[in-house]
Amino acid sequence: MLGLFLVLFTLCLAALFVGWKKTSLVLFWLPENKRNKVFMILIYGGVAIVSLIGALSPSTIENMAFILFSISFLALLIGLINPAFIFRKSPEPKKTRARVLKVFGTIAVLSVVIGIATAPPVEETAQRSEQAEQIEADKQEEAEAKAKAEAERKAKEEAKAKAQAEAEAKSKEAAAKKKAEEEAKAKAEAEEKAKIEAKKKAEAEAKKKTESQFAGYTLIKVDGGDTSGYRQAKVVVDIGFGDREYWAFTNEYGQLVRVIADKIILQDDSSEPVNSSGRYYSDEAKVPGVESDSLDEGHIIADSLGGVSNAYNITPQNSTLNRHGDQAYMERVIRDAGGATNFEAIITYPNTKTQTPSHYQYTYTINGNKVVDSFDNVNPDEVNKSLGLTESKPSSSTGSNAGSSTGSSTGSNKGGDLSSVDANGNGEVTIQEAKDAGYSMPITSDHWLYQYMRDNDGDGMVGE
């Protein structure tokens, strides 16, 4: 078909060339008045253009033939009904159905012929359809491949960006962690350095203080459970159990004369080796004098307050004083307060030969309050008896005199005027003050005065 269009195109060009010289030769089939160059160019030029288009694009000729057939067939139908409508400018004799059929029937037939002639064979059409489908499929596949490649590229870029962001985040996190660790390490080192310096300073101050306190004394170590009653002269010994620092001093005669402690730390039976009797050791030092039936192996600082049992913490002490008197009271006060600070004990002797003290004075601080306990190493009951403090006096009036300054029964539970009994106004009532006010002894725990008096042995009675 390509060859046919090329031949037709060549013939049209030849006709145009010849007709340009002599128009009548190529338009011989037209009437004499129509044989001019304009008709020649329109006819042979149009056919040449259509031939060229058909050679280059057969489908275009097919489409043109279909359009021409549609128009001519429509004109044919209209002309057969009303020829005058189709040939409005023709003379009246030519407005006939025969002419309509001849002109437009011929054009319709030629259109069909051209369409059939230019139409590809069925196989070629199928092949073209397959090719078109294949091309479309290829395009779709290419588009899908391109879209897939684009998606993969985008995914890779996103993964790369995400990995980079994670790497940067990890790097920042690692840097922050490293910085935090370095800061923590520097802080810990600074704190440790400060602790070491503080410790050194405290040790230096303690050493300086110790050297000042220990001036003229030799520091020695003695086992806390040593039961020997011998003491060296002019020495200082730590009598605190464990890490406690309780310092005991002896004079030139080997007598225990002073005990000091910055802080009294109570015994802890949950973490310290305490026996069933509440003591660190099963026995105490046999200081000369304790063999007496009336004297105990008395601790200057009791086991319950963290003291040991060697001779540098033991003195022969009256058993009643030790168990129920001022010594027991002092120890109980410190225990109840959970400890004490600035503790000092001064022990006095009647002469330089004996190891049995004649007097004790304890000074310590509890909850910011300074306390001083001073008492002789004697039986308090005998002293009270010799002073007549344990004898009962008859009541100055019959019946209950609660609320007045005189008269009282041992178990009176009614209130009274404290100022009429408390002679020195210190808020505490002594046995003598109570007796001077006319109250008989003993005062029991249900008496209104009991709360203002000191029950050293804790038996619920004062002045027994």
Side-chain angles (χ1 to χ4, degrees):
M1 187 56 66
L2 177 62
L4 177 61
F5 281 120
L6 290 176
V7 169
L8 185 59
F9 177 73
T10 303
L11 291 175
C12 289
L13 288 179
L16 286 170
F17 181 75
V18 173
W20 192 263
K21 298 291 184 183
K22 196 172 182 178
T23 308
S24 60
L25 289 177
V26 294
L27 297 176
F28 63 89
W29 42 277
L30 291 175
E32 190 68 31
N33 61 344
K34 300 284 179 76
R35 294 174 183 176
N36 55 55
K37 289 181 180 180
V38 175
F39 274 96
M40 179 194 69
I41 292 171
L42 289 174
I43 294 171
Y44 290 105
V47 174
I49 292 173
V50 171
S51 300
L52 182 60
I53 293 171
L56 296 176
S57 179
S59 61
T60 304
I61 297 299
E62 291 179 31
N63 294 334
M64 291 174 65
F66 176 75
I67 294 170
L68 184 61
F69 171 77
S70 301
I71 296 172
S72 61
F73 184 74
L74 180 62
L76 179 62
L77 291 176
I78 296 171
L80 289 175
I81 297 171
N82 186 6
F85 182 80
I86 299 300
F87 297 121
R88 283 179 290 182
K89 293 184 179 181
S90 299
E92 192 64 33
K94 292 185 179 181
K95 296 180 180 179
T96 64
R97 289 181 176 86
R99 191 182 177 206
V100 170
L101 182 61
K102 181 180 178 180
V103 175
F104 290 104
T106 302
I107 293 173
V109 172
L110 287 174
S111 300
V112 172
V113 171
I114 291 172
I116 294 172
T118 57
V122 176
E123 294 180 357
E124 184 178 349
T125 302
Q127 186 177 3
R128 283 184 182 179
S129 178
E130 291 179 357
Q131 288 178 351
E133 290 177 357
Q134 184 63 39
I135 290 172
E136 186 65 25
D138 291 343
K139 286 182 179 179
Q140 186 175 357
E141 185 178 351
E142 183 180 355
E144 290 177 354
K146 187 176 180 181
K148 184 178 180 181
E150 181 66 18
E152 290 178 352
R153 182 190 65 78
K154 189 175 179 181
K156 285 182 180 179
E157 289 180 354
E158 290 177 353
K160 184 178 179 181
K162 183 178 179 182
Q164 186 175 357
E166 289 178 352
E168 290 178 356
K170 287 183 178 179
S171 177
K172 289 181 179 179
E173 184 179 355
K177 185 177 180 181
K178 184 178 179 181
K179 183 179 179 181
E181 290 176 350
E182 289 177 351
E183 290 177 352
K185 184 179 179 182
K187 184 179 179 181
E189 289 177 351
E191 290 177 352
E192 185 63 24
K193 184 177 180 181
K195 285 181 181 179
I196 293 173
E197 291 178 353
K199 185 178 179 181
K200 287 182 178 179
K201 184 178 179 181
E203 289 176 349
E205 290 178 353
K207 184 178 180 182
K208 184 177 180 181
K209 182 180 178 181
T210 300
E211 290 175 351
S212 174
Q213 288 179 333
F214 296 172
Y217 296 88
T218 302
L219 177 63
I220 63 172
K221 289 184 179 181
V222 179
D223 185 79
D226 186 0
T227 57
S228 169
Y230 173 74
R231 302 194 201 102
Q232 294 186 39
K234 299 295 287 184
V235 296
V236 58
V237 179
D238 184 2
I239 59 171
F241 186 86
D243 295 331
R244 297 173 180 83
E245 291 186 347
Y246 302 163
W247 303 105
F249 299 81
T250 61
N251 61 14
E252 62 271 27
Y253 305 108
Q255 294 172 323
L256 178 61
V257 292
R258 184 173 180 239
V259 174
I260 60 173
D262 290 337
K263 184 177 182 180
I264 296 295
I265 302 172
L266 303 187
Q267 181 187 88
D268 185 358
D269 57 4
S270 65
S271 62
E272 294 181 321
V274 180
N275 60 30
S276 59
S277 301
R279 299 182 179 278
Y280 295 115
Y281 305 98
S282 59
D283 201 359
E284 291 80 20
K286 305 307 176 184
V287 178
V290 299
E291 66 276 4
S292 171
D293 293 337
S294 62
L295 299 178
D296 281 349
E297 296 154 347
H299 291 74
I300 300 300
I301 300 181
D303 281 85
S304 61
L305 306 183
V308 297
S309 297
N310 61 37
Y312 295 87
N313 191 36
I314 297 294
T315 61
Q317 189 173 57
N318 182 270
S319 59
T320 302
L321 175 68
N322 182 46
R323 301 176 191 183
H324 310 294
D326 288 325
Q327 179 73 28
Y329 174 79
M330 178 270 296
E331 294 170 357
R332 187 181 68 183
V333 168
I334 295 176
R335 281 197 303 272
D336 292 345
T341 58
N342 303 320
F343 179 92
E344 181 181 35
I346 300 297
I347 303 100
T348 308
Y349 295 84
N351 55 60
T352 59
K353 304 295 183 180
T354 183
Q355 295 296 333
T356 302
S358 58
H359 187 81
Y360 299 91
Q361 178 171 300
Y362 291 92
T363 305
Y364 50 93
T365 301
I366 291 178
N367 299 324
N369 298 314
K370 183 179 179 181
V371 180
V372 178
D373 288 325
S374 182
F375 47 86
D376 293 331
N377 187 13
V378 294
N379 186 332
D381 290 344
E382 293 180 356
V383 173
N384 290 337
K385 185 177 180 180
S386 66
L387 295 175
L389 300 180
T390 58
E391 296 177 357
S392 298
K393 287 184 178 180
S395 179
S396 59
S397 63
T398 61
S400 175
N401 289 322
S404 66
S405 62
T406 61
S408 173
S409 63
T410 299
S412 177
N413 196 27
K414 298 180 181 180
D417 183 9
L418 177 63
S419 62
S420 65
V421 183
D422 183 14
N424 57 9
N426 65 352
E428 292 184 0
V429 176
T430 63
I431 293 173
Q432 189 61 48
E433 286 176 334
K435 291 177 75 64
D436 290 345
Y439 291 95
S440 60
M441 297 296 115
I443 300 295
T444 57
S445 59
D446 60 348
H447 195 283
W448 74 273
L449 276 178
Y450 180 82
Q451 59 184 315
Y452 304 107
M453 304 183 75
R454 180 182 292 185
D455 184 4
N456 291 333
D457 54 5
D459 62 353
M461 299 176 66
V462 180
E464 68 271 28

